[in-house]
Amino acid sequence: MLGMPEISSLRNPEECSAKWPYGRVKRMVKEAVPIDENQYQDIPQDALERLNRESGHYVFTSDLTVNEFVLVDEAGFEPLGMVMGSSIYHIGFQQSAWSKNQEMTVLSQAMYNARELAMSRMEEEADALKADGIIGVRLEVKHAEWGQHLAEFIAIGTAVRSKDGTSHRTIKGKPFTSDLSGQDFWTLMKTGYRPVSLVMGSCVYHIAHQGMLQMLRQVGQNQEMTIYTQGLYDARELAMERMQLEAADLQAEGIVGVNLHESSHQWGSHVIEFFAVGTAVKRFQESQLATPSLVLPLNDPGQ
Amino acid sequence: MPWFRKNKGDTPSANEVQLSRALQQTFRQYTAETEQQMQRDRDALDRGRIPEAAELRVKRTVNRELPWMSTLDIADLYLADEIRMTPLVQVTGSCYFQAATDMNGRLYLDSNYDAANLVHAYYRAKNDAVERMSQEASLAGAHAIVDAAFKFSRNQTVVECSVIGTAVQFEGVRPGKTPLVSPLSGEEFYKLLQVGWIPVNYCLGYHWHCMPVGYRTRSISSLWNFLNQELTPVVERFSDTRRYAIQQMVADARGGPRVDGFVGVSVKTEIEETELRIYAGYRGGYGAFNMMGNGITIDGSFYPFGNEGVAEVPAYNLEFFATGAGIARIGTGRLTKEALGTYLSSLN
């Protein structure tokens, strides 16, 4: 059982106004709570209290719908609690060359690191619950209005644990993560695959502006803007390759439900971020699903 | 205390900064492409090929050096497995195409006031994107591309078309020369196969027309017209625009394997007010136009040529954009592997 410091001491402005609140909380936890020093380093004390399943009044929380809850149970898992990780990150500056295509590596790295920080904090919360994995992960980016170049990265999901005690952790010993819904999770498990990890790749790319001479050369011509096409291709390829490499690191067989998001955030129309995200999967048993029968609903979803 | 020292206490210590840097280093480090690589990619695109990175990704994925990836969701993957359709690799295609303009970036119109160059740009952007995606799928030895999500956008006169889909292979069937393209989801693909149909390609119908108007048309929408009245001339011209677009869509379908019909057609229309610049000496236009030396009469209004020899005429831009999946009937009831194999072989 974790011994908790007074809530008032956590809310003490002097204590909490430091640049590194997680580090500060960690030190406070270390002083007040008899837990392993290296464990749950990044989890605030409030979160540790919420996650303490031994406290006697523990009630699981989840953002699963009723259908999802029932299907997760049917798949042999139980929800343990809603877990979350966040990172408020200052995105650095990089000067782009006006007339050149180039990857903005400082920005790519910032977007990746911040998401990774949020994800790893969420994983630590799940770890504290002794979860096998996290399903329904939502990874969001919000740009703060109160600070320039600041963005808040949030990862939220529901930690689950196998009811039969089988471990479904990754080869790195972390809980698996997945953005699949409860329904998709059930179907995936029944097809004989299991989620390994939410994998992602990011690339922030500056697309060249056209010079006056180039514009004059194009007057009266129907032609492809190869420089734009190449920029788009390269940005997308880099994002997808990075996502695939993450999955390969975890010895996954494939990635399902891949989504490619394209956004300019606050960098103007010539700087775009390609963000590829999907769930890496691995086969662990033969499919247990019966042959589907063709059902054609009579209601029109368009109405 | 001076103002610039006031917040000194909040500055992270050297140790904290070092700790943060060390933490950042634990993440995967990204490296950008070199300028030479980018130039090689541009050259490849100019030669009608796909960039090196795309080619390498497809090859490494097919050779199982990298995990396969797919845009299909879990239910789609299950259905794909049920019909022995294996997802191979995610495939993509893109093209930015610029329609010809004058020095001021304005579109040229043809004698019928149609923006033929813009229509051409839409088709080139779409065809080049599909061609590039098909090249990736062919490299993987795919029979078809399913769940192909198309995105069109236009910034003034530059049209962008991007598409992302999943290349798939049917077990035990020899790959065709050109893969079929289906913008339908895996589930819809499955359903069509159950009833003897197969998605063949993605078709586009697009037309853009500029309609100069004068007193007769504008008086109908005037504040001083208290009658209920239809803008018949605009409706008629818009009908023509729609007819041309659908004709184009059918022609687009005829460019590939046999198509018996379209499903999942989506339509977007746009009518906006604009101003058309007609140059003195321009002899195009409709029969209703009368050239009268120093001006032009359109729809009951006379518009004089200004000092530059240009008459500025109010107009409506009429745009019709339709896309859909071309499908073909290749059997009755649930398709067998043999029927599918015979059909795909006939395309070679």
Side-chain angles (χ1 to χ4, degrees), chain A residues 68-99:
Chain A
E68 285 178 310
F69 173 69
V70 173
L71 285 169
V72 167
D73 182 68
E74 183 67 21
F77 285 79
E78 59 177 337
L80 298 177
M82 215 164 133
V83 285
M84 189 186 121
S86 78
S87 168
I88 298 176
Y89 204 90
H90 176 261
I91 298 166
F93 175 77
Q94 184 176 5
Q95 182 66 48
S96 59
W98 173 265
S99 57

Side-chain angles (χ1 to χ4, degrees), chain A residues 119-166:
Chain A
M119 286 289 290
S120 58
R121 283 166 186 162
M122 181 183 68
E123 283 166 8
E124 279 191 39
E125 283 201 8
D127 210 27
L129 286 169
K130 300 185 171 55
D132 277 317
I134 310 164
I135 60 169
V137 173
R138 301 192 304 277
L139 198 50
E140 292 164 10
V141 184
K142 290 177 187 166
H143 289 275
E145 286 175 12
W146 41 270
Q148 256 196 331
H149 310 300
L150 282 185
E152 183 184 8
F153 296 78
I154 308 168
I156 305 175
T158 298
V160 294
R161 186 173 64 180
S162 167
K163 287 193 286 189
D164 64 5
T166 320

Side-chain angles (χ1 to χ4, degrees), chain A residues 17-20 27 42 89 100-103 105 108-109 112-113 116-117 120-121 180 184 187-188 191 193 200-203 205 210 216 218-230 232-234 236-238 240-249 252-258 260 262 281 283 287 289-292 294-297, chain B residues 10-13 16-17 19-20 23-24 27-33 35 37-39 41-42 45-46 50-51 53-54 57 60-61 65-75 77-79 81-82 89-90 92-103 108 117 120 124 128-129 132-133 136 151 158 160 162-164 190-191 194-195 334:
Chain A
S17 65
K19 287 280 181 189
W20 313 95
R27 282 197 294 278
D42 274 353
Y89 204 90
K100 274 188 175 176
N101 278 348
Q102 67 176 115
E103 185 184 1
T105 36
S108 294
Q109 199 72 54
Y112 174 74
N113 289 2
E116 196 60 40
L117 278 170
S120 58
R121 283 166 186 162
L180 300 178
D184 282 346
T187 318
L188 183 74
T191 54
Y193 281 92
M200 56 192 175
S202 168
C203 177
Y205 206 89
Q210 273 203 306
L216 286 174
Q218 278 167 0
V219 169
Q221 307 267 346
N222 283 324
Q223 62 179 36
E224 185 180 2
M225 312 285 283
T226 319
I227 196 157
Y228 289 0
T229 311
Q230 173 258 313
L232 189 70
Y233 249 104
D234 286 354
R236 195 171 50 207
E237 284 301 328
L238 283 167
M240 288 200 295
E241 186 197 15
R242 286 163 183 173
M243 179 182 67
Q244 265 186 311
L245 289 173
E246 268 198 18
D249 268 2
E253 285 172 28
I255 309 167
V256 296
V258 174
L260 268 173
E262 193 183 325
V281 296
R283 190 177 274 281
S287 173
L289 275 176
T291 307
L294 189 60
V295 176
L296 301 171
Chain B
D10 284 346
T11 312
S13 70
E16 284 172 326
V17 171
L19 182 73
S20 170
L23 179 67
Q24 309 281 316
F27 298 133
R28 185 185 295 280
Q29 297 301 303
Y30 285 170
T31 46
E33 287 204 313
E35 184 54 46
Q37 180 60 58
M38 286 191 251
Q39 187 55 51
D41 289 345
R42 283 195 281 273
L45 288 167
D46 283 337
I50 52 174
R57 174 178 56 80
R60 288 184 69 193
T61 308
E65 290 168 37
L66 287 173
W68 52 265
M69 55 178 173
S70 161
T71 54
L72 297 176
D73 64 24
I74 305 300
L77 279 171
Y78 163 53
L79 292 173
D81 193 46
E82 165 62 20
V89 63
Q90 195 164 301
T92 66
S94 284
C95 179
Y96 280 86
F97 201 90
Q98 154 113 11
T101 61
D102 66 9
M103 292 283 283
Y108 294 116
N117 288 325
H120 174 72
R124 270 297 300 270
D128 285 7
R132 285 164 186 163
M133 178 174 71
E136 288 188 17
K151 190 190 97 185
V158 177
E160 180 212 346
S162 282
V163 53
I164 298 175
Y190 171 86
K191 283 176 181 168
Q194 299 303 303
V195 290
R334 184 180 169 139

Side-chain angles (χ1 to χ4, degrees), chain B residues 121-138:
Chain B
Y122 264 91
Y123 279 92
R124 270 297 300 270
K126 175 251 178 188
N127 290 340
D128 285 7
V130 169
E131 163 61 23
R132 285 164 186 163
M133 178 174 71
S134 297
Q135 275 190 43
E136 288 188 17
S138 295

Side-chain angles (χ1 to χ4, degrees), chain B residues 310-338:
Chain B
V310 177
E312 291 180 342
V313 181
Y316 290 116
N317 285 338
L318 311 174
E319 197 174 6
F320 193 94
F321 177 91
T323 57
I327 59 170
R329 175 162 217 142
I330 58 170
T332 49
R334 184 180 169 139
L335 286 182
T336 59
K337 193 171 89 177
E338 290 70 31

